[in-house]
Amino acid sequence: MPSAAVSSRASTLLRGEILDLHAYHVPDSTGCVKLDAMENPYRLPHELRNKIAAAVADAAINRYPDPAAASLKEQIRGVTGLPDGMEVLLGNGSDELIQLLALALNKPGTTLLSVEPSFVMYRMIATFTGMRYVGVPLAADFSLDLSATLAAVRREQPALVFLAYPNNPTGNLFSADAVAQIIEAAQGLVVVDEAYYAFAGDSFIPHLARYPNLLVMRTFSKLGMAGLRLGFLAGSTAWLEQLEKLRLPYNVGVLPQLVAVKLLEHHETLLQQAEQIKRDRAALYRQLGGIAGVRVYPSEANFLLFRVAHATEVFDGLKRRGVLIKNLHGGHTMLNDCLRVTVGTPDECAKFVAALQDTLNQLAQGENHA
Ligand SMILES: *Cc1c(COP(=O)(O)O)cnc(C)c1O
């Protein structure tokens, strides 16, 4: 069939929200120093890789995965120190869990509320699951605007609230007390998204029992397992046994289950890498802070947000020099002239800083000549 005919059929049949949506864009990073996606830059020790290879060689990939994922859940309970009486629900990455939550709660007319700027998938998933989306602006320093957020929670009565703790793309950790007040004010379900827990100094997991409307979501993506696609929700059985009904039975494959179990047996190796990344983050923060014209924001995640004039030219200049970071300019008014760089190895960070200085020098010269 000619493609014009296909596309006219598609635009008749597809929901308007889908036609209007922009796909989540993942740029090609071939040959680049890749500092755009908050991945852990470190490979696993050889010994551990060999153990994984042996386990994979033995895996029964002719069988469907264990739908209960019993051993993996047991490992997760252990490494997260899950309080008694709390359960976990596994997702194919935490993105899948955001979608599952929205599908479970999107009665007609219900609202998903988050803050802005924050993780773009909250808005995207609200849109394609047909939920109304409300984004409450953060304060100018990217802290929670507590009175505005509490007012919005009371006014909009959201069925679902997402708070990223620490926040992406700003990197800061909101005040725990402010988050607690939002959880208490909300009639709906509040999900504290702890994607960056390994790099932060606080968590809501120990407080799960205190709030009947709280779930904590985590992913292992930022800790070195982005390729496995594994996230989980932690919370009370009453919530999770309902949400479990929506989970597709085999959403986490045999290989991700098996590899994650092996990796979590060596959780301390991953946490040591996270500690290294935190030290490198501190060094990179100081270096960026020392560059004239760059304003860098404090971070409790494995990335740094910074502001620089002509951000898009700077981003392009870095890319031409083989360094891929994330351009946030144009995404949200509060992120004008903002770029986000993932903390890489010291060598990658050095290449990034050198490319940045070179780009800024070239832009300055261009202006002098103009
Ligand atoms: C990266 C990220 C996720 C998604 O992680 P996956 O498990 O890889 O889907 C969720 N929330 C926040 C805030 C993130 O930054």
Side-chain angles (χ1 to χ4, degrees), residues 37-38 92-96 98 118-119 122 164-168 193 195-196 217-222 226 229-231 303:
M38 280 81 85
N92 191 298
S94 50
D95 287 346
E96 186 187 49
I98 304 171
S118 188
F119 190 45
Y122 305 146
Y165 187 80
N167 191 35
N168 172 17
D193 180 351
Y196 301 96
M217 186 169 71
R218 284 190 178 177
T219 172
F220 291 116
S221 292
K222 315 300 166 33
R229 307 304 300 134
L230 189 62
F303 60 85

